[in-house]
Amino acid sequence: MSRFLVEGKVVESVDLLKKRHWPWRLDVWPFAIIYVVWLTTIVPSIDIGDAAIVLGGLVALHILVWLFTAWFVDFKCFVKYSKVNDIHQADACKITPAKFSGSKEVVALHFRKLPAGSSSSVDLEEIYFEFRKQCFIYSREKETFCKLTYPTKETVGRYLKSTGHGSEAKVVAATEKWGRNAFDYPQPTFQKLMKEHCMEPFFVFQVFCVGLWCLDEYWYYSLFTLFMLFMFESTMAKSRLKTLTELRRVRVDGQTLMAYRCGKWVKLTGTDLLPGDVVSIGRSSGPNGEDKSVPADMLILAGNAIVNEAILTGESTPQWKVSIMGRGTEEKLSIKRDKSHVLFGGTKILQHTPDKTFPLKTPDGGCIAVVLRTGFETSQGKLMRTILFSTERVTANSWESGLFILFLVIFAVIAAGYVLKKGLEDPTRSKYKLLLSCSLIITSVIPPELPMELSIAVNTSLIALARRGIFCTEPFRIPFAGKVDICCFDKTGTLTSDDMEFCGVGGLTGNVDLESDMSKVPLRTVEILASCHALVFVDNKLVGDPLEKAALKGIDWSYKSDEKAMPKKGSGNAVQIVQRHHFASHLKRMAVVVRTQEEFFAFVKGAPETIQDRLLDLPSSYVETYKKYTRQGSRVLALAFKSLPDMTVSEARSLDRDIVESGLTFAGFVVFNCPIRADSATVLSELRGSSHDLVMITGDQALTACHVASQVHIISKPALILGPARNGDGHEWISPDETETIRYSEKEVEALSETYDLCIGGDCIGMLQQTSAVLRVIPYVKVFARVAPEQKELIMTTFKMVGRMTLMCGDGTNDVGALKQAHVGVALLNAIPPSQSGNPSSETSKDESTKSIKSKKSKPTLEATGKALVLNGEGSSKGRGSSRSDATNISPGNRHLSPAEIQRQKLKKMMDELNEEGDGRSAPIVKLGDASMASPFTAKHASVAPTMDIIRQGRSTLVTTLQMFKILGLNCLATAYVLSVMYLDGVKLGDVQATISGVFTAAFFLFISHARPLPTLSAARPHPNIFCSYVFLSLMGQFAIHLFFLISSVNEAEKYMPEECIEPDSNFHPNLVNTVSYMVNMMLQVATFAVNYMGHPFNQSISENKPFLFALLGAVGFFTIITSDLFRDLNDWLKLVPLPVGLRNKLMVWAFLMFLCCYSWERILRWIFPGKIPAWKNRQRLAADNLEKKKHA
């Protein structure tokens, strides 16, 4: 069998391949035959010039085939490999990754002999491949490839008995199996990245165009374009290299550890650790006093430690890590659930306490731990893999621009075919010149600056965002932000602030009210608050959960580093903590054993619903009380205690957790308020008003989540929460105040969502996965509560599958998966809130940007626009049949620029745009530990406002690129017509004429891309795609009007022209038809820009975009002057002949009418086709039905 289904998180399927010997490759032998045929039959039969043209075509085809193997993996497999069915004949395999995990790859298949085990004398053979730093091994039982396993799912008893690798042979075998504990990935060289960039389809095409122009004697122009392209690509490659080098700095600390191997303690470096090693680990610092990080993921067997996990989670609160001793020996380890026992690689130990009672003694007083995972399998390694390989890079030359160009090429091919047909009818014409002009027509359709234009539109947004403290690692996701139709938010730390307010204690005396005066609260309750927590002293500072700190502050007790809590005022007794059972998210509770006045107590706190089952007698108002406060959006914890019999301290320490946490007496509810950030509600209501759906995804309780959601406008209809049915079978929807219940049925979810806002919890998501109802339910839910990180990822992929454009805004790395999966992921780093509150602060920063642009542009306009020729130098390039050699006609008196100089200026401007590194105008490099590593956008704000900035810039960029495509389309269609039909009539453009036209086009394009977005988001949405009826009708309508104007003007001019014969291949000389076609062409260009400029409701209107307005007025003034023949010298220099008066007046009137027609057509279309939210519900039904069919099949 040649294909294996793996269906894992990373790999979908594997195809077996065998490499062909090079003579048998499909890009070698067929071409060898073709070249021989050319040599033997074509060369003798036609003249050598034509034979050379044929050879050129063949070589181009051969190169194209070779390039296709680099662009398409499937094509590469077809050409260079053959499929095989027997795994032993294969030497490579094609990997198809899971959906949304990147693109296909071909990797080598390896075979290795394993040394014989004690049981069998035969050497075993292992077949494996490595894909994205993960090893997959062929399993004969399952007959497919499986991921290399690590010892992470054994029983607790097994770990406690482990004594490391007992013999050298075992060490060797383990090293063979798992390799070194290091992050090895080759640092790509600048040359390699540059090669990658130069193989991009666009780049190859542009080099091809440059070659054609060189043949048509436009040396200056072509070589400059080539130079500019190389500079552009090398800047891109350089910035990628920078980011990758930054990642390479993350490495396993090379600290020496004591490891127990072959029955004795030996010194090992961190990179030599193997899974299964038993090590002694503690706080260790390097020579400069910086803390060393943990070298691999390990499980603590004895002792405990306090660890800073900020590099993985972005969470600055240190975490307690305790030994696994107290767990039942038959329990199986689950790293997700038992986080509190695992030290993760890359985190830093702040302090540790060894356990003296453990049978294995350490020589250096560290904690004893067993290594679980090494290298790229550790949590840190996974994070690195996510960053390196996760989703495909979104680039500017996406399939849409490709298809659009294809659409234009079809027109160009028709025009070129017409020229070829007509040209071949005339035997006197040079075949070489004819083919050249046909190729030029085809290539003229694609302006070589297209990728740069798109990049500049995106760069303008990047700089605007960076000024506002928002940094972006994947710039081409910015246009996606303009298409977003659903925004998902994390609650804690994103919509609400991290600071908890202690409100008081409730539910004690049977009344529901809160008691905030601590002197009236029973002493036991206060003692529980003072001692049942995981606060700890690190370097003489109290650190830990903000909630627990708020409680300690609220009761006015102090906590000392010897684990004693005492009241600050009055004469209460000190409470000494004897043993802690840490908070575990699957248990939703924590407990401590304490000693006060020689008595032992167990103090417990946790989620009200879990403590409820552990109480001896339940107060009657228990449920009512805690639900009352959670409905108000407060955080509620239940407190309970029990007194323990007299015993020794060591007995108290070894008490089983279950004994400590059962048979409890209720001691009240503690209530905390979690304030919503000042601007959350206003930002979310503006997002809602601008046609976005809002969703909340949180780890908090459902009632609290629903309350916060209603305050920030996520919920506007009555809410329903999905939960297990009270009578025990199935599930039901319950309203928060429990007055309404509706049976759950997956078929009715869509109808329910019309009248209610739905909320579901993490446990119900598990149920949906089991019943395959994910696609039917999740797309309609507004609030997701008690959600685990991998469920957040599932929610995002589900939204994507039904065709939504998603934005996810969260903090810290527990949101990594979701941030990475969303089309637009925004990580908030809790820095400072934005400086200006409330006022449309975009204005101030934007005005500065205009000033800087203006100051750069204060030189004489023409020169400045020459510099600005970053964009479509279309007129000055594509040579409308003109020969570039008469640049000498530029008289030294006029300080205008030759194409070469313009090109040089253009290049300089381009480089300035891209190299603005030092002046704070380019997005800085982001580092590990900012959650940014996991998401394309990172905002240094403690507020959700950046989502609006990103969407605003996204819409602006989207609109700008859309209008660029429309303008390019119209210009290119006109160019194709001019180059073909008029070329046959011998009409050409002079060099200066082409240059001037290019200068105007370039200036327009630059000023368009600098249009700034409006400060408020509009309810209207931009058109998300280039391919829609609006764009198509707009293009066709305007093109028809332009063509009509062009043809009638030229026909009118021919009436006035004497019958003179124009040689098609001769040099340029001025005549009336040329003058008219040039003027008309320029008028069309200006009209195209003025009509297709998209102003309100996304960007500034033409009157607000001053540079563009002045450029337009300048162009109109320029025509009026040349058409009315005011300055004869200027017209002579432009090689324009005088126009007869009748023709002149006609042209002016026609131009005005043409503009009016185009303008009205465009406005009518914008009114008929407004942008709207994509219809995703049909896709959702389709996807759900397909899943049903699969299930039954």
Side-chain angles (χ1 to χ4, degrees), residues 20 317 503 596 603 657 696 747 766 810 812 914 983:
R20 301 176 195 262
T317 312
C503 300
T596 170
F603 288 167
R657 180 163 189 166
M696 178 193 284
K747 302 273 190 299
L914 289 165
Y983 176 76

Side-chain angles (χ1 to χ4, degrees), residues 1-14:
M1 95 191 227
S2 66
R3 160 167 266 198
F4 297 106
L5 289 175
V6 180
E7 294 186 344
K9 272 189 183 169
V10 185
V11 177
E12 176 74 27
S13 63
V14 179

Side-chain angles (χ1 to χ4, degrees), residues 155 204 255 356 394 545 598 614 636 714 769 798 817 1094 1151:
T155 59
V204 171
Q255 52 168 327
K356 305 275 183 2
V394 185
D545 188 342
E598 304 304 311
R614 301 185 161 265
V636 180
I714 291 177
Q769 281 172 294
T798 309
M1094 291 258 202

Side-chain angles (χ1 to χ4, degrees), residues 134 177 193 249 342 395 476 498 502 627 774 826 907 938 949 1046 1071 1132 1177:
Q134 285 187 307
K177 181 172 179 183
L193 283 178
R249 292 196 188 147
V342 179
T395 51
F476 291 110
D498 280 335
F502 174 73
K627 286 200 169 165
V774 171
V826 187
L907 177 70
T938 314
D949 291 322
L1046 193 65
N1071 60 34
D1132 284 343
K1177 290 191 177 178

Side-chain angles (χ1 to χ4, degrees), residues 358-522:
F358 197 70
L360 191 63
K361 300 283 182 279
T362 61
D364 57 357
C367 301
I368 293 183
V370 57
V371 177
L372 300 175
R373 304 183 290 203
T374 54
F376 275 103
E377 278 303 310
T378 61
S379 293
Q380 187 183 16
K382 275 188 186 149
L383 188 60
M384 311 264 292
R385 278 210 319 263
T386 313
I387 296 157
L388 281 168
F389 306 115
S390 180
T391 31
E392 284 133 293
R393 294 177 70 87
V394 185
T395 51
N397 23 351
S398 60
W399 62 272
E400 277 208 331
S401 42
L403 275 177
F404 185 74
I405 283 166
L406 200 68
F407 163 74
L408 294 179
V409 167
I410 293 170
F411 277 91
V413 168
I414 295 169
Y418 176 73
V419 169
L420 193 65
K421 178 173 163 292
K422 288 278 192 233
L424 290 175
E425 287 167 9
D426 175 2
T428 58
R429 300 188 67 159
S430 143
K431 301 260 192 328
Y432 167 69
K433 279 272 188 187
L434 190 65
L435 276 171
L436 195 57
S437 58
C438 289
S439 324
L440 277 171
I441 289 171
I442 294 176
T443 54
S444 73
V445 171
I446 307 174
E449 297 92 348
L450 181 73
M452 278 180 251
E453 279 156 30
L454 295 179
S455 304
I456 279 196
V458 169
N459 262 15
T460 315
S461 291
L462 274 183
I463 292 165
L465 287 173
R467 285 211 178 103
R468 316 209 38 165
I470 302 165
F471 304 110
C472 175
T473 48
E474 294 175 23
F476 291 110
R477 278 187 188 269
I478 289 182
F480 276 8
K483 306 180 189 179
V484 165
D485 59 11
I486 184 165
C487 305
C488 310
F489 294 92
D490 177 37
K491 180 180 84 73
T492 319
T494 304
L495 295 171
T496 61
S497 73
D498 280 335
D499 310 320
M500 294 282 181
E501 296 166 4
F502 174 73
C503 300
V505 178
L508 281 170
T509 49
N511 71 345
V512 188
D513 297 331
L514 270 192
E515 183 56 77
S516 52
D517 178 0
M518 285 299 122
S519 57
K520 296 181 182 161
V521 171

Side-chain angles (χ1 to χ4, degrees), residues 1047-1058 1072-1074 1076-1077 1139 1143:
I1047 293 172
S1048 32
S1049 309
V1050 173
N1051 288 347
E1052 192 69 24
E1054 278 173 352
K1055 290 180 190 167
Y1056 292 89
M1057 248 180 85
L1072 191 61
V1073 171
N1074 158 263
V1076 169
S1077 73
L1139 295 181
L1143 182 62

Side-chain angles (χ1 to χ4, degrees), residues 315-318 498-503 528-538 540-559 568 590 605 635 637 670 672:
E315 167 68 65
S316 50
T317 312
D498 280 335
D499 310 320
M500 294 282 181
E501 296 166 4
F502 174 73
C503 300
I528 297 174
L529 286 173
S531 58
C532 188
H533 55 63
L535 297 174
V536 61
F537 275 87
V538 175
N540 294 325
K541 271 216 308 280
L542 189 65
V543 293
D545 188 342
L547 180 123
E548 295 176 334
K549 283 182 165 158
L552 203 59
K553 191 174 155 197
I555 57 173
D556 206 22
W557 278 49
S558 65
Y559 176 69
K568 286 186 183 169
M590 78 163 286
K605 72 170 183 196
R635 183 93 177 265
L637 294 174
V670 57
F672 296 91

